[in-house]
């Protein structure tokens, strides 16, 4: 697929060379990390080295890291706290793995750029004396909008609440500092940053009463039963280290994204860049083209050998209007005409050229006949 252009990095990133090497190297190790003999100790060392690398990416300590089967599992475990029956408030633009965990969750509204309405959050927290667990994405997976986590944490903590952040799309794109953000819980996923699929992490400060989703073993300090995925964890750790080292380079992707958006608006003045009025990560652009449904756009791009997406990639391949965009106030027709373009560390000017050329053909459908 050498002639394909991959612009769907928010769905999954290609496996980094460092992660591939760590993963393959770990596959050659015999031994269960729970075993006390030398083979087991070497496997345990791989897991603990990775734990340190994950913690470093998140500005946390290794003791705060519990490995999971991915970001979705981490989110589910975070919101299923034991021993503390807190009400749950979630951002209206959260990923489905947060929105669908508890039926009693109350949505916190966002403004037209996708930023949490802090006054509404404070009012919801003050409306009930029962403490709350609040879950807010650090970076939205569809628009790339960055929340001001520290200011939101101050509001949550002032009302006796705990703050969880799905930081899956923040990792490797912006610096993460769990303590400075004020997060009590934080979720990560390996495959979004060039690690293997099927591994993630939940980080928690001391004193948060987490409950294991899987029981029947003492692994991960009794927080996740079952033999650890040593190879996946080793690859995750290597991807975290590489992502942390490459943060400055990732920021430079904004030059490619801005060039793409400038061309998009020049070729189709009716198009809208969703979330452009808020801080965004450098790699993400959500573009709505009135009158051209997202599925039609996706098919045109795919036929041209270009991979983009519409909304989240976690909906079994279905294309439907985005709850994120509707929560931001977009009408159904416009929300259904939005696509997501997401870049990565090896995206090039040539990739942008290919996208613009295809976009020009799609946008021609909206221009008045000569």
């Amino acid at each position: 697929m050498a002639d394909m252009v991959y612009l769907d990095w928010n769905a999954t990133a290609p496996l980094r060379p460092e992660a591939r090497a760590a993963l393959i190297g770990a596959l050659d190790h015999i031994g269960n990390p729970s075993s006390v003999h030398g083979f087991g100790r070497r496997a345990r060392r791989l897991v603990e080295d990775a734990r340190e690398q994950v913690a470093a990416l998140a500005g946390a300590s290794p003791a705060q890291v519990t490995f999971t089967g991915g970001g979705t599992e981490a989110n589910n475990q975070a919101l299923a706290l034991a021993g503390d029956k807190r009400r749950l408030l979630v951002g209206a633009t959260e990923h489905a793995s947060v929105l669908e965990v508890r039926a009693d969750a109350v949505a916190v509204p966002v403004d037209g750029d996708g930023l949490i309405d802090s006054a509404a959050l404070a009012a919801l927290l003050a409306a009930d004396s029962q403490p709350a667990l609040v879950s807010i994405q650090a970076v939205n997976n569809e628009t790339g909008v960055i929340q001001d986590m520290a200011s939101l944490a101050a509001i949550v903590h002032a009302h006796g609440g705990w703050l969880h952040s799905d930081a899956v799309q923040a990792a490797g794109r912006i610096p993460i500092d769990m303590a400075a953000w004020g997060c009590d819980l934080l979720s990560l996923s390996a495959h979004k940053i060039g690690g293997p699929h099927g591994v993630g992490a939940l980080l928690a400060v001391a004193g948060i009463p987490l409950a294991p989703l899987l029981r029947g073993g003492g692994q991960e300090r009794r927080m996740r039963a079952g033999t650890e995925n040593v190879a996946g964890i080793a690859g995750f750790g290597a991807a975290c280290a590489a992502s942390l080292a490459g943060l400055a380079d990732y920021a430079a992707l904004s030059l490619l994204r801005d060039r793409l958006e400038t061309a998009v608006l020049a070729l189709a003045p009716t198009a809208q860049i969703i979330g452009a009025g808020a801080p965004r990560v450098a790699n993400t652009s959500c573009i709505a083209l009135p009158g051209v449904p997202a599925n039609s756009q996706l098919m045109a791009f795919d036929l041209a050998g270009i991979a983009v997406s519409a909304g989240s990639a976690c909906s079994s391949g279905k294309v439907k209007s985005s709850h994120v965009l509707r929560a931001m106030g977009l009408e159904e027709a416009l929300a259904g005409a939005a696509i997501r373009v997401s870049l990565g560390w090896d995206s090039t000017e040539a990739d942008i050229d290919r996208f613009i050329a295809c976009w020009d053909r799609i946008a021609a459908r909206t221009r008045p006949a000569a």
Side-chain angles (χ1 to χ4, degrees):
M1 303 178 70
D3 60 337
M4 293 286 291
V5 172
Y6 189 70
L7 299 177
D8 198 18
W9 289 69
N10 285 8
T12 197
L15 192 65
R16 288 179 180 270
E18 301 91 339
R20 182 187 298 275
L23 188 154
I24 292 174
L27 289 173
D28 289 332
H29 282 267
I30 305 171
N32 187 313
S34 296
S35 299
V36 298
H37 50 59
F39 293 100
R41 292 196 302 273
R42 283 193 289 273
R44 170 56 55 191
R45 185 69 264 158
L46 292 175
V47 171
E48 296 311 317
D49 286 347
R51 199 183 308 276
E52 292 180 2
Q53 292 169 313
V54 172
L57 180 67
S61 70
Q64 293 175 301
V65 177
T66 297
F67 287 113
T68 68
T72 291
E73 182 184 319
N75 286 342
N76 273 254
Q77 186 172 8
L79 303 187
L81 291 172
D84 198 289
K85 302 299 182 182
R86 294 184 171 234
R87 57 199 175 104
L88 178 62
L89 307 181
V90 301
T93 55
E94 296 299 306
H95 190 272
S97 61
V98 167
L99 290 176
E100 298 179 11
V101 172
R102 277 174 48 181
D104 63 341
V106 175
V108 182
V110 299
D111 65 17
D113 284 316
L115 293 171
I116 290 289
D117 183 332
S118 57
L121 172 61
L124 286 168
L125 288 165
D128 193 321
S129 60
Q130 182 184 14
L133 170 62
V134 180
S135 185
I136 296 171
Q137 266 182 328
V139 171
N140 186 264
N141 50 299
E142 297 187 26
T143 63
V145 167
I146 304 170
Q147 301 290 344
D148 184 347
M149 296 307 300
S151 67
L152 296 173
I155 296 170
V156 172
H157 293 154
H159 290 84
W162 290 330
L163 178 63
H164 164 257
S165 182
D166 173 355
V168 165
Q169 294 292 344
R173 292 160 173 76
I174 58 174
I176 299 175
D177 188 327
M178 190 172 171
W181 284 7
C183 290
D184 302 289
L185 297 145
L186 186 138
S187 301
L188 298 173
S189 176
H191 76 100
K192 304 294 188 179
I193 59 171
H197 294 85
V199 60
L202 175 62
L203 290 79
V205 300
I208 301 295
L210 290 174
L213 297 181
L214 300 176
R215 294 175 171 83
Q219 294 86 356
E220 294 301 290
R221 302 179 303 282
R222 305 197 71 83
M223 281 296 104
R224 190 178 194 266
T227 301
E228 293 92 343
N229 174 7
V230 176
I233 288 170
F236 184 17
C240 285
S243 296
L244 186 59
L247 273 175
D249 293 334
Y250 216 96
L253 286 174
S254 62
L255 298 175
L256 292 180
R257 183 203 61 195
D258 292 349
R259 178 176 166 239
L260 181 151
E261 291 181 352
T262 298
V264 159
L265 296 176
L267 292 168
T270 61
Q272 295 185 33
I273 309 299
I274 310 302
R280 291 181 295 158
V281 287
N283 80 312
T284 304
S285 182
C286 182
I287 307 163
L289 182 59
V292 185
N295 58 348
S296 296
Q297 297 182 54
L298 295 188
M299 286 188 287
F301 278 113
D302 192 46
L303 289 171
I306 302 168
V308 296
S309 70
S312 171
C314 301
S315 301
S316 302
K318 298 176 182 177
V319 177
K320 55 186 179 181
S321 63
S322 162
H323 74 277
V324 170
L325 304 187
R326 295 197 304 274
M328 293 169 65
L330 274 70
E331 295 181 356
E332 183 79 21
L334 187 60
I339 63 169
R340 179 187 67 189
V341 182
S342 49
L343 314 177
W345 56 80
D346 67 357
S347 296
T348 66
E349 294 280 358
D351 294 340
I352 304 304
D353 291 339
R354 286 271 299 275
F355 177 90
I356 292 170
C358 186
W359 174 266
D360 189 18
R361 295 191 292 272
I362 295 170
R365 308 176 195 177
T366 68
R367 297 176 192 138

